[in-house]
Amino acid sequence: MREAFKTGVIAGIVTIFFAAVGLIGNFTDLNLIGEVVTFALLMILLPPVVAGYVTSRPRVVAGQVAERSQAEAAPIGAVTGATAGLSFGAFVVFVDAFGVERIREVFVNISPALMEYLLSGRTAIVTAALLVIASAVAGTLGAVYRTLPEGVRKPIGTAIWVTLLLGFLQRIIPIALDQLGIERDWLYSKVTGGLTWIGAVTVALFSAGASVLKARKGDAIRGALTPRRSRDDEPDDGSRRRPVTPLMIVVMLAGLGVLLVAPYVLGSVISEVLGTVMVFALLGLGLNIVVGYAGLLDLGYVFFFTLGAYALALLTGATLNTFIGSTEPAVSLNLNFYVAIPIVVLIAAASGVLIGAPVLRLRGDYLALVTLGLGEMIVVLVTSPWLEPLVGGPQGMRDITNAAIGNFGFREPQHFYYLGLAFVVLALFVSWRLAGSRIGRAWTALREDEQVADAMGVSTTTYKLLAFAMGGAIGAVGGALFAVKIGSLTPASFQVLVSIQVLGIVILGGIGSLPGVIVGSLVLVGLPGLLREFEEYRLLAYGAALVAVMILRPQGVVPNVRRSRELREEDREQDKWASDVAADEHVAPPVTPLGEGAG
């Protein structure tokens, strides 16, 4: 029970934090299901549910994993939830007694609207009592859910999160259904905007059914999509290529068809977000070569992003922004986009070699700090008076090419999507081929142990420079597409936060994983772009997502096979080391008679 109280207090503090940052008071009108399940209510009840789930997890007793029964877990979950509700209820009573306006001088999101939503005409004491009861029920449900058999727990969990996700996407899916001419009033309410109860139940049942089908037929489906290897006795390190089956071709063609029609089905708003996802996917694929393949921690990747954008602008005849209009830069060309882009790639690759050369002997934290400084330098340079005749200084540049083919320009969001998709597919192909090549194996050896790789004859200098060059070239293409997409450039778009964001994409998706980069881009760039009402919480979401992934799934959401194996081997080595140390501590030291050994 002591753990239940502690976990409950932590859950209560988390709920108070949600209220303090505005995740409750600012979203009382965001209905997810009907008029009852709102985002604000979810933020109040989610911490006790998670706390109840955590406290009912299996225990390790005398070296054995002991599962809790439902009879044991339910009261523990109730106590945990009640403690969380009591903590939050005490906060409500304190705010009501102390005065909202006085607290709001420090915490601006603790507003009268928040208290009006929480109290709903009741006294603070009654509200606190209701919070305790509701949180106790939520904690009990979380604890009971954890004790259910896996065959029941997974479908229920899938149904809940899919239903809530569709409730969040209420500004996206209805537009797509309208574009397809599908009746959607049964699914989304025109009054509340969220899911109707009929739609929510239908989605939940369908999701649960799909989860059950996956559990029963998943292996058969994966077997059909993944043919047997010709040499089953050899271990799979993730780099070996498998033969392509007809079913795989059908699935890939279906996926390609969905990608091609997506902009016109989803509309211009979502296409705009997907275009941004494509740009950051390119940046993630480039950094994945440096960090994921070669193991070189680079915090200055914004350098290549900036270089690609401004290089394309100068090569394609962009003009400088001035207070009286526009003027020609000191040096510029009027090349076609498709002639300029290979030159941008060559410039970025050469710059990668120049940047990589001074830091060849640095590793880990030192390399990260140096690259961070290099990334900041280019931002300082483009804003300095020294380069103002060339790149416009703080005013930036405009009239950048739209990469048109004939009369078909790519400035429009739905058109730019196809340009971005083409370059992402090309970058994926290049990265995939590099991973399985001799160069990729050399990068892997370099990442695992540089000294051993050097002793085995791998030219660490050459392959480090090659990693910087290849990663920088792909990142510069991302910058060039960003310039095409926006049509104008200012230094404000090239801050160090871009480097952190791209590194977060690579880590979240899975270091060294190509699908992971795409998933990371969709999660960290696509979702905040689609959920505009959560825009101010973007950095908070980044931090929470990275902490959660590092604790719960350190190999990433879609991990690389080889990287996952390395992490498991490291875990086994650490466990072995810990057991050896524990065994040594239990061995009694030899008794030395007094006076002996003193010389």
Side-chain angles (χ1 to χ4, degrees):
M1 282 296 172
R2 186 176 179 181
E3 182 185 357
F5 284 116
K6 289 170 60 179
T7 309
V9 170
I10 293 173
I13 293 173
V14 171
T15 312
I16 295 171
F17 173 76
F18 286 164
V21 299
L23 282 174
I24 296 177
N26 294 341
F27 299 101
T28 56
D29 296 331
L30 180 56
N31 297 293
L32 301 180
I33 302 174
E35 297 181 356
V36 178
V37 183
T38 63
F39 184 79
L41 181 64
L42 182 65
M43 288 294 99
I44 294 174
L45 296 181
L46 184 62
V49 170
V50 174
Y53 181 91
V54 170
T55 52
S56 62
R57 68 187 185 280
R59 298 164 296 163
V60 178
V61 180
Q64 300 292 325
V65 177
E67 294 277 355
R68 295 183 191 274
S69 65
Q70 289 188 6
E72 293 175 334
I76 294 175
V79 171
T80 306
T83 306
L86 183 62
S87 302
F88 189 57
F91 164 78
V92 174
V93 173
F94 171 76
V95 173
D96 185 65
F98 196 72
V100 178
E101 295 299 334
R102 296 174 65 183
I103 294 179
R104 200 180 183 191
E105 293 177 359
V106 180
F107 300 100
V108 295
N109 285 307
I110 298 178
S111 60
L114 169 66
M115 293 303 295
E116 183 180 351
Y117 171 75
L118 293 174
L119 297 176
S120 299
R122 299 180 292 266
T123 65
I125 298 297
V126 173
T127 300
L130 292 176
L131 284 172
V132 172
I133 295 172
S135 299
V137 173
T140 305
L141 292 175
V144 171
Y145 172 75
R146 180 63 185 83
T147 59
L148 293 174
E150 185 174 351
V152 178
R153 188 171 68 238
K154 278 193 172 182
I156 293 177
T158 303
I160 292 174
W161 77 259
V162 170
T163 305
L164 292 176
L165 179 63
L166 290 188
F168 276 113
L169 299 178
Q170 57 187 260
R171 298 183 182 178
I172 301 169
I173 296 179
I175 297 175
L177 295 178
D178 289 340
Q179 294 281 345
L180 293 171
I182 298 176
E183 175 62 38
R184 51 101 165 180
D185 290 346
W186 65 275
L187 185 59
Y188 286 97
S189 169
K190 288 185 176 179
V191 178
T192 64
L195 290 171
T196 63
W197 283 105
I198 295 176
V201 171
T202 304
V203 169
L205 291 176
F206 180 81
S207 305
S211 178
V212 172
L213 180 64
K214 179 187 174 186
R216 295 183 177 179
K217 303 293 184 181
D219 292 339
I221 296 173
R222 281 191 293 272
L225 290 174
T226 309
R228 293 174 62 84
R229 298 188 300 272
S230 57
R231 292 173 293 176
D232 289 340
D233 54 331
E234 294 185 5
D236 184 7
D237 61 359
S239 61
R240 292 176 53 193
R241 302 186 183 92
R242 299 170 184 273
V244 179
T245 65
L247 184 57
M248 290 177 67
I249 295 175
V250 171
V251 172
M252 286 190 288
L253 289 177
L256 181 61
V258 171
L259 290 174
L260 291 178
V261 302
Y264 292 97
V265 173
L266 299 176
S268 60
V269 176
I270 301 176
S271 298
E272 172 76 19
V273 176
L274 290 177
T276 307
V277 170
M278 298 293 177
V279 171
F280 276 88
L282 278 171
L283 296 176
L285 290 170
L287 188 62
N288 189 53
I289 290 178
V290 183
V291 177
Y293 289 177
L296 304 171
L297 184 55
D298 186 352
L299 292 182
Y301 201 66
V302 69
F303 175 91
F304 300 104
F305 183 50
T306 311
L307 180 67
Y310 277 98
L312 181 85
L314 291 173
L315 290 172
T316 55
T319 58
L320 304 182
N321 280 324
T322 65
F323 292 110
I324 57 173
S326 63
T327 184
E328 293 291 328
V331 177
S332 71
L333 297 174
N334 286 304
L335 301 178
N336 183 276
F337 171 81
Y338 302 96
V339 177
I341 199 71
I343 302 175
V344 171
V345 169
L346 292 176
I347 293 173
S351 301
V353 173
L354 291 176
I355 287 179
V359 298
L360 284 175
R361 295 188 177 183
L362 299 179
R363 302 176 189 172
D365 302 341
Y366 302 100
L367 178 62
L369 288 175
V370 172
T371 53
L372 180 63
L374 291 172
E376 279 294 287
M377 283 173 60
I378 194 167
V379 179
V380 174
L381 284 174
V382 296
T383 55
S384 68
W386 184 49
L387 288 182
E388 188 168 353
L390 187 64
V391 297
Q395 285 78 31
M397 307 182 74
R398 66 179 182 181
D399 300 330
I400 298 173
T401 178
N402 62 357
I405 299 176
N407 294 324
F408 190 84
F410 290 95
R411 187 85 77 221
E412 294 295 324
Q414 290 166 316
H415 296 174
F416 179 81
Y417 168 87
Y418 293 109
L419 185 67
L421 180 64
F423 278 98
V424 168
V425 171
L426 179 61
L428 281 170
F429 178 75
V430 171
S431 298
W432 173 63
R433 294 290 294 174
L434 282 173
S437 68
R438 182 185 181 90
I439 297 174
R441 291 192 292 273
W443 281 337
T444 302
L446 186 65
R447 183 188 67 202
E448 294 306 308
D449 195 317
E450 184 177 339
Q451 293 180 338
V452 173
D454 193 21
M456 295 299 293
V458 175
S459 175
T460 56
T461 300
T462 301
Y463 287 108
K464 277 185 178 180
L465 293 178
L466 190 58
F468 277 112
M470 295 296 298
I474 296 178
V477 173
L481 290 192
F482 175 77
V484 171
K485 181 175 183 291
I486 301 299
S488 61
L489 299 174
T490 60
S493 301
F494 305 97
Q495 302 298 320
V496 69
L497 185 61
V498 174
S499 299
I500 306 301
Q501 194 171 2
V502 178
L503 184 62
I505 288 172
V506 175
I507 294 174
L508 179 72
I511 296 176
S513 168
L514 298 180
V517 171
I518 304 302
V519 172
S521 303
L522 288 170
V523 172
L524 288 185
V525 179
L527 278 183
L530 295 175
L531 304 174
R532 296 294 176 91
E533 55 268 46
F534 296 97
E535 179 68 25
E536 60 181 304
Y537 302 100
R538 178 189 294 244
L539 295 180
L540 180 65
Y542 282 167
L546 290 178
V547 170
V549 168
M550 289 300 99
I551 293 175
L552 302 175
R553 197 174 173 83
Q555 68 272 31
V557 177
V558 188
N560 178 274
V561 174
R562 181 182 294 166
R563 180 67 178 163
S564 298
R565 183 172 299 166
E566 291 167 1
L567 287 174
R568 286 197 295 270
E569 290 175 355
E570 290 177 3
D571 290 341
R572 281 196 290 268
E573 290 177 359
Q574 290 178 0
D575 293 342
K576 182 177 183 301
W577 175 82
S579 61
D580 291 344
V581 171
D584 292 341
E585 289 177 349
H586 285 84
V587 176
V591 178
T592 303
L594 186 64
E596 290 188 13

